Amino acid sequence: MTAELVRGQNHPLSEVRLEIRISAGCPVVAAATLSDDSGRARGAEWVVHPGAPVLPGLEVSRQAAADHRLAVDLGAIPEAVHRLDVLLALPAAGGGPARFGAVAAPFVAVTGPDGTELASYTITGLDAESAVIAVELYRRQDAWKVRAVGQGYAGGLTELLSDLGLTQAAELATAAEEAVAEGLARSVAAPPPRTTDDARSHQASAPPRPNPAASVSSHEGSSHEGQVSGTVGPAAPQPAGPGGSGGGTPAAGPAASVPAGGTIDYRHPRRQPAPPPPPGQPAPPPRQPSDPSGQPSAPSGQPAAPPAAPAASPGHDGQPARPVAGDATGWSMEERLYNQVWGMFEDLARTTAAYRSAVDFAESRMEKELDQVLSDPRSRIGGQGDAAREAARAKHARLVDQARASLDRDLAQLTDESEVVEPALPAAYARWDNPVWHGYRVPMEIPMAVRLGDLHLPEDPFLRIPMLIRLPLERGLWIDSGRWASPDESFADAGERRRLAMEAAVAHAARLIAVYPAGEFGVHVIDPAGSGAQALAPLVHTGVLAGPPAAGAAGVADVLSRLTQRVDLVQMAVRGGAPDALPPGFDAAEQLLIVNDFPHGFDDRAVTQLRYLADEGPAVGVHLMMVADREDAAAYGPLLDPLWRSLMRLTPVPDDHLADPWVGHAWTYEPPVVPPGSQVLQLVLTEVAAARRDWNR
């Protein structure tokens, strides 16, 4: 069954000998690049184009053509190759169109040796681009997959090859253009156009001429029964990722005619584009070649790529390879696990997007078929109309069942990977119930990231993806003690909400304290009315705070003044080019300020200082954690809107307020919960306090 892919979706390949068929509305140049496990092409010898059309396991056409067939033998490709990008470009010679937006959307199909179509993709949404990465074949756990990319480049083949990390991009693009120009010079000139009379005389006998736009429309408007959700695999941030212009969505109807110099729009009428990344979720950078874990490789000029991921255990009886912890690139196991978790997050986002898209298509198709039945008065009543309605509903159910089966397959694979990865996570990435905390020792260096909770989607609420945030924190945290979405009103009491929010803040603070080396992270607390004393007890009794919680307006002013002065001193030293010229005894450790019960105890000056810390503090190592209900500060009006926007909002109870940066799914956030009756928090903080005493001696 053919998988009709959408941009960013992937599909496993069951064959190693493949043919990639390309159909376009005008002559295009076909090329391909090979990349290693870091996502970088090693040089010109890893590029095939019309001037150098053959590499082991890969061959492209020597000329520009409207139809191409690329031969690929994955078994013959060198072991060092982990990704193969198929490229299309409009030739400069020949006087053809200069941008893809003026021609029919290119269509790419991956077929087996017998011609069976395995996956297809129509590259829609292109406009000013003259070169595009159509699809990529990549290794994942000793198996190959295909992903629909559709990444366009207005700068042509030179810009595309430069983005893939090739320093000889201009020379390679020139060589390809020269080879195409030579092919055109050797080609036989087209016959002169026939006269009107000749055309009429041949009209009856000549077979109909194929229309590229119509053929694409037929493909796009055909059944989506083959549309499947993406299996576990990396995805170039762009899903819906920014960087280049060439994204798009599949069509759902016949292609429109091409206006002079205009653009064909094949977008599905009910599929919405992905929104920008929400607060709290980093947006992927402009697309760069990605490694097998889905992480972008380093730009040119950066250090060499990290070593490859360990090989996964081979499967049996045709089953997928068993997942292994650390199945991603990285210099250390910690980095590999971080990249693997990020890849799992991307995979779950995309496979769910593909499933929802398939269900949306099935519903729109059923509605269209039912409308057609109702539009004919003869079929509105009687057995004919009933049969048509039953057939439409049966087809809808079949499409939805097929999409769900594909989703369940992907979820099962992700669940298997999660069950392997979760026990292997280091303390900074682990849940509080992970046994790694029983052997906790204060680390000697700062980890890459810290876990601030879990994320899941309604399609499988039991599959939890760790929410890892890079360190040092780039923005403050806001633990929302306001009214959350609760259908049963179980958190209607304001006092209970504040208690839960403060306990969540203490858990976050304890984790941050635990993952930093001794003496490199200090914590200050502002609790004007003392309402958080019970929740703060673990921090106070173990002695890990920089001082007792500040109470009253005087305490608020004192703490804010000291931290504001600290930010000013560090900024002046850095801007003056003398970061070592700080006063003697200056504490260079990162600082965290926990503010409870805001805005109680804050005057206008204190509010201004708080905003200053939120804006300027993270860059110089001063971080803010607010425990507050935004409604309590409503009297300030829009004055505090920049403050709330600058903070990452977290909740002390599950809440679906976070969205991913690709397709905008509403992810349910689960805060890190200490198991009931567990003493892990006390044990960890006691260990930190002891290490600090030894460090201060």
Side-chain angles (χ1 to χ4, degrees):
M1 181 180 296
T2 303
E4 296 179 7
L5 306 180
V6 298
R7 189 185 188 208
Q9 185 181 350
N10 54 24
H11 185 70
L13 295 173
S14 56
E15 306 281 351
V16 294
R17 297 180 64 87
L18 305 168
E19 189 175 71
I20 300 177
R21 301 180 179 181
I22 300 166
S23 298
C26 67
V28 296
V29 178
T33 59
L34 307 178
S35 303
D36 56 19
D37 57 351
S38 65
R40 310 297 283 180
R42 295 186 177 178
E45 66 275 11
W46 275 24
V47 182
V48 287
H49 56 82
V54 180
L55 280 179
L58 179 62
E59 183 175 0
V60 301
S61 174
R62 298 174 182 269
Q63 297 186 15
D67 296 284
H68 289 272
R69 294 194 174 189
L70 281 59
V72 179
D73 185 356
L74 298 176
I77 288 180
E79 289 292 331
V81 175
H82 283 252
R83 197 181 77 203
L84 186 158
D85 287 296
V86 178
L87 320 176
L88 303 179
L90 293 171
R99 59 190 186 91
F100 276 110
V103 300
F107 171 70
V108 181
V110 180
T111 69
D114 58 349
T116 303
E117 193 170 288
L118 306 176
S120 63
Y121 173 47
T122 302
I123 311 171
T124 59
L126 299 177
D127 187 8
E129 298 81 6
S130 58
V132 62
I133 301 177
V135 297
E136 65 181 16
L137 312 181
Y138 64 96
R139 298 183 197 258
R140 176 73 171 182
Q141 297 179 349
D142 290 341
W144 284 89
K145 295 184 179 183
V146 58
R147 177 185 295 108
V149 179
Q151 179 71 49
Y153 295 84
L157 200 56
T158 300
E159 182 184 359
L160 188 156
L161 295 174
S162 297
D163 197 25
L164 293 177
L166 289 162
T167 57
Q168 317 96 317
E171 294 82 356
L172 288 169
T174 301
E177 289 290 351
E178 290 176 352
V180 170
E182 291 176 3
L184 290 174
R186 294 192 301 267
S187 62
V188 178
R194 293 176 295 178
T195 63
T196 304
D197 293 339
D198 291 336
R200 288 174 180 173
S201 65
H202 288 80
Q203 188 172 10
S205 59
R209 184 177 181 180
N211 183 347
S215 65
V216 173
S217 171
S218 172
H219 168 76
E220 295 253 324
S222 62
S223 169
H224 274 52
E225 293 181 14
Q227 183 168 347
V228 296
S229 54
T231 55
V232 177
Q238 267 282 309
S245 18
T249 49
S257 60
V258 187
T263 303
I264 302 176
D265 188 359
Y266 287 97
R267 291 175 297 177
H268 191 291
R270 295 183 59 190
R271 186 170 297 125
Q272 301 297 322
Q281 294 296 328
R287 185 188 188 278
Q288 298 170 353
S290 59
D291 62 26
S293 72
Q295 295 302 298
S297 59
S300 57
Q302 295 297 323
S313 304
H316 300 283
D317 300 328
Q319 297 299 318
R322 294 192 302 272
V324 296
D327 182 22
T329 57
W331 290 109
S332 63
M333 178 56 74
E334 178 194 3
E335 185 177 359
R336 289 179 175 179
L337 288 169
Y338 173 84
N339 290 339
Q340 186 173 13
V341 169
W342 179 254
M344 291 166 60
F345 177 68
E346 289 189 32
D347 291 337
L348 182 55
R350 288 202 176 92
T351 191
T352 305
Y355 165 72
R356 294 179 181 179
S357 176
V359 172
D360 180 68
F361 172 82
E363 291 176 351
S364 63
R365 173 172 170 167
M366 182 180 67
E367 291 173 1
K368 181 179 179 181
E369 293 178 352
L370 291 176
D371 288 342
Q372 290 175 348
V373 173
L374 295 174
S375 64
D376 187 355
R378 296 171 298 179
S379 61
R380 291 179 185 173
I381 59 175
Q384 182 181 356
D386 294 340
R389 284 187 284 270
E390 288 299 324
R393 295 188 182 100
K395 190 178 296 182
H396 169 270
R398 184 171 68 254
L399 292 175
V400 172
D401 290 344
Q402 290 173 349
R404 184 70 209 194
S406 299
L407 174 67
D408 289 341
R409 178 199 64 203
D410 297 341
L411 293 178
Q413 190 171 350
L414 277 168
T415 299
D416 291 343
E417 188 171 9
S418 176
E419 291 175 351
V420 171
V421 170
E422 190 68 48
L425 295 177
Y429 302 172
R431 291 194 300 250
W432 285 115
D433 59 356
N434 193 308
V436 70
W437 288 107
H438 296 296
Y440 168 79
R441 292 294 181 269
V442 177
M444 300 298 293
E445 58 184 19
I446 302 173
M448 287 185 59
V450 64
R451 184 173 189 162
L452 294 184
D454 293 334
L455 299 170
H456 68 82
L457 291 171
E459 279 75 9
D460 189 350
F462 299 103
L463 176 57
R464 310 294 174 88
I465 305 297
M467 179 179 170
L468 303 182
I469 302 298
R470 291 297 295 264
L471 291 177
L473 296 175
E474 296 181 357
R475 58 192 304 197
L477 304 177
W478 167 27
I479 314 302
D480 189 0
S481 61
R483 187 180 296 274
W484 316 294
S486 177
D488 57 357
E489 296 294 329
S490 55
F491 300 105
D493 180 66
E496 178 68 7
R497 296 198 304 268
R498 290 191 177 94
R499 181 188 66 81
L500 291 174
M502 198 60 199
E503 289 179 353
V506 169
H508 289 307
R511 182 177 290 265
L512 288 168
I513 294 171
V515 302
Y516 272 81
E520 294 192 19
F521 196 81
V523 179
H524 310 261
V525 176
I526 290 179
D527 187 18
S531 59
Q534 182 177 356
L536 290 168
L539 302 178
V540 174
H541 294 163
T542 54
V544 296
L545 295 179
V556 171
D558 177 62
V559 172
L560 291 176
S561 296
R562 285 188 285 111
L563 291 178
T564 301
Q565 183 182 22
R566 173 191 174 86
V567 172
D568 291 338
L569 286 173
V570 177
Q571 282 187 339
M572 286 189 293
V574 172
R575 291 170 181 171
D580 297 330
L582 293 168
F586 183 85
D587 184 7
E590 300 270 322
Q591 305 293 320
L592 174 69
L593 172 61
I594 302 176
V595 178
N596 182 38
D597 211 11
F598 176 81
H600 182 77
F602 281 73
D603 55 19
D604 291 345
R605 175 181 173 80
V607 170
T608 301
Q609 290 176 321
L610 192 68
R611 288 186 54 188
Y612 177 73
L613 292 178
D615 293 337
E616 305 294 335
V620 293
V622 177
H623 310 285
L624 183 62
M625 182 184 294
M626 296 275 292
V627 183
D629 180 358
R630 187 169 182 173
E631 293 299 321
D632 292 343
Y636 287 93
L639 177 67
L640 292 182
D641 286 350
L643 172 65
W644 304 117
R645 287 196 298 267
S646 69
L647 304 174
M648 181 192 302
R649 177 176 176 260
L650 302 176
T651 55
V653 297
D655 187 71
D656 58 349
H657 66 280
L658 294 177
D660 64 71
W662 302 285
V663 289
H665 292 322
W667 291 78
T668 297
Y669 166 76
E670 297 254 0
V673 177
V674 178
S678 174
Q679 297 297 315
V680 61
L681 211 62
Q682 190 76 18
L683 294 174
V684 168
L685 294 176
T686 301
E687 183 71 22
V688 170
R692 287 185 176 183
R693 288 193 295 269
D694 294 339
W695 181 80
N696 288 324
R697 289 176 181 173

